[in-house]
Amino acid sequence: MNIEEVRVYGLGLPQATERCPFGPDTLSLEIGGRMFCLMTLDGEWDFFNLKVDPDYGLELRERYNSIQPGYHQNKKHWISVDYYGDVPETLQRELIFHSYCQAARKLPKKEQQRLGITEFINTKLNGE
């Protein structure tokens, strides 16, 4: 995937938004104000950062050379994924969705309900 594909896919998730909280060259994809994907717009990074379950993140880093601990993020909860590394595009999409769910699940239940994502998250997380 390239930066635009990551952006379009991430923004296609329910109630996902984008902003540049760290300046005009760093794009954050968010749900309810919680970041789930971070990337640079100036091409400085050849990867994007995603929030992950800590155990899953360890497994991914062991399995793929192009997944590293999250650059400038909490290394336990974030990973960096190379755009053009050895991670299949389908898995990249799954990881973006996983990251979205990680962030959305941390929102207060009231905020999840306000955004209308409670049922979506629960359905997807239970594999339905």
Side-chain angles (χ1 to χ4, degrees):
M1 296 179 79
N2 62 39
I3 190 171
E4 187 59 25
E5 291 169 325
V6 170
R7 180 182 168 271
V8 167
Y9 179 77
L11 289 175
L13 296 169
Q15 301 296 327
T17 59
E18 65 183 342
R19 68 185 184 107
C20 296
F22 306 112
D25 294 332
T26 305
L27 181 66
S28 172
L29 301 182
E30 302 177 351
I31 176 65
R34 289 191 175 266
M35 211 179 335
F36 69 89
C37 183
L38 187 65
M39 57 194 132
T40 61
L41 299 173
D42 59 7
E44 183 179 333
W45 297 354
D46 56 354
F47 57 86
F48 54 101
N49 284 347
L50 296 172
K51 188 174 184 75
V52 294
D53 172 80
D55 293 332
Y56 189 39
L58 284 172
E59 177 187 325
L60 289 165
R61 289 193 299 270
E62 289 174 2
R63 193 177 328 159
Y64 296 99
N65 291 326
S66 57
I67 295 181
Q68 301 297 318
Y71 182 72
H72 280 298
Q73 301 293 117
N74 179 310
K75 308 297 186 222
K76 182 177 179 182
H77 295 280
W78 288 82
I79 57 172
S80 294
V81 180
D82 291 352
Y83 287 109
Y84 304 107
D86 61 343
V87 180
E89 192 169 311
T90 54
L91 180 57
Q92 288 185 40
R93 290 185 198 295
E94 289 173 21
L95 293 174
I96 295 167
F97 179 73
H98 173 82
S99 184
Y100 168 88
C101 288
Q102 289 291 304
R105 286 177 31 200
K106 297 292 184 181
L107 292 170
K109 296 293 181 200
K110 223 174 200 177
E111 181 66 3
Q112 290 178 19
Q113 291 171 346
R114 187 188 73 73
L115 292 169
I117 59 171
T118 305
E119 187 175 322
F120 176 79
I121 294 168
N122 291 333
T123 299
K124 297 298 182 179
L125 290 176
N126 293 326
E128 298 174 17

